[in-house]
Amino acid sequence: MPVTAPRTVPETTIGFIYPDHAAEDDYPLAQRLLGDVAQLSVTHIYGTDLHAVAELLDLGSEQRLAEGAAQLAPLSPDAVVWACTSGSFVFGRDGAAEQITKLAAVTGTPTSSTSFAFTRALRALGLKRVAITASYPDDVAALFQEFLAAEGVDVVQLSSAGIDTAAEVGNLRPDEVAELMTQGDHPDADALLIPDTAMRTIALIDPIEQRIGKPVLTANQVTIWEGLRLAGAPTRADGIGRLFREGDADAF
């Protein structure tokens, strides 16, 4: 019988602190598309999954994130990302920066969050004018727009679906996600942003980019890219959008 070579274990490990459960299967899918250049290790913290300001402030609290960091510590990750957009931008630009500074003090390794991953991905592609399709209620979606504005990003259109919980987002069918993703596009936008890590998007990015003719940046996609960038791992791959084909990870 032929001998199967043992699978190579990636030397780089990136830790992701993910809230509850919804679309975390995007991470092993992305790892396969990346060719196992890094181990994408997801750990979970728990709170309410309601898309509401008070609940999101609790979800992204220093104590909860420290719990996630402690779970990742035995893996000695080369980088850590708080894989939650709303649980970071809800603090505002300065508050989100402080959140990451405190988390980095616990992880002892390069650390970021999905909200900053979006702005760095845009910078890597040289883009500033965006449209947003958010799953959140209007008031939460508006906070993402404010965060982007503080980072120098011009939002030409904001669309929000008004979905109350992450669980509901995670239960959307692929065709429903594809429809939701495209409804917020605008002809003046250079990129379309989809800011919810509870939404399964990795398999849909390339088809949607081909449909609308511009880069599509989704929460799990930019979170993974940011982790790779921070760890110094390769960020080139097919099948995960223009960011992974053309984004300049050294543009910082």
Side-chain angles (χ1 to χ4, degrees):
M1 294 180 63
V3 177
T4 302
R7 182 175 174 180
T8 302
V9 178
E11 294 182 359
T12 301
T13 297
I14 303 167
F16 300 94
I17 302 173
Y18 190 94
D20 294 285
H21 296 272
E24 62 266 35
D25 46 349
D26 264 359
Y27 291 78
L29 173 57
Q31 182 170 323
R32 292 194 296 273
L33 292 170
L34 286 160
D36 291 319
V37 298
Q39 177 68 40
L40 308 184
S41 297
V42 178
T43 192
H44 299 269
I45 60 172
Y46 298 96
T48 177
D49 70 344
L50 189 65
H51 290 147
V53 172
E55 286 76 7
L56 291 168
L57 289 171
D58 175 71
L59 185 64
S61 67
E62 182 178 354
Q63 294 76 17
R64 289 195 187 274
L65 294 186
E67 292 172 8
Q71 294 176 53
L72 290 171
L75 302 176
S76 299
D78 298 283
V80 171
V81 187
W82 167 219
C84 184
T85 326
S86 55
S88 45
F89 71 66
V90 72
F91 290 87
R93 197 273 171 203
D94 292 343
E98 182 180 6
Q99 179 189 60
I100 293 310
T101 297
K102 290 180 178 179
L103 180 57
V106 178
T107 66
T109 194
T111 301
S112 188
S113 69
T114 304
S115 292
F116 286 111
F118 269 111
T119 60
R120 288 162 187 163
L122 287 168
R123 196 177 313 163
L125 290 167
L127 305 175
K128 287 188 175 181
R129 293 171 60 82
V130 306
I132 300 170
T133 298
S135 58
Y136 319 123
D138 290 346
D139 61 331
V140 175
L143 294 176
F144 184 49
Q145 180 173 1
E146 292 177 14
F147 175 90
L148 293 175
E151 284 279 292
V153 178
D154 180 15
V155 178
V156 299
Q157 178 162 289
L158 172 62
S159 173
S160 52
I163 300 176
D164 288 327
T165 68
E168 292 173 86
V169 176
N171 286 329
L172 293 172
R173 300 188 311 268
D175 62 309
E176 293 174 321
V177 174
E179 177 63 26
L180 180 63
M181 287 172 69
T182 55
Q183 72 181 24
D185 188 29
H186 190 280
D188 293 337
D190 298 321
L192 175 63
L193 275 53
I194 316 296
D196 193 344
T197 58
M199 190 180 294
R200 291 180 179 85
T201 58
I202 293 295
L204 297 172
I205 296 169
D206 272 9
I208 299 299
E209 285 190 338
Q210 292 168 11
R211 185 189 305 181
I212 68 175
K214 66 185 66 171
V216 173
L217 299 179
T218 77
N220 287 325
Q221 174 209 34
V222 300
T223 298
I224 292 163
W225 180 86
E226 175 78 337
L228 294 168
R229 183 189 73 82
L230 289 175
T235 57
R236 284 286 182 266
D238 292 324
I240 323 179
R242 199 179 301 182
L243 174 64
F244 278 86
R245 295 193 304 273
E246 302 174 9
D248 182 5
D250 297 320
F252 302 92

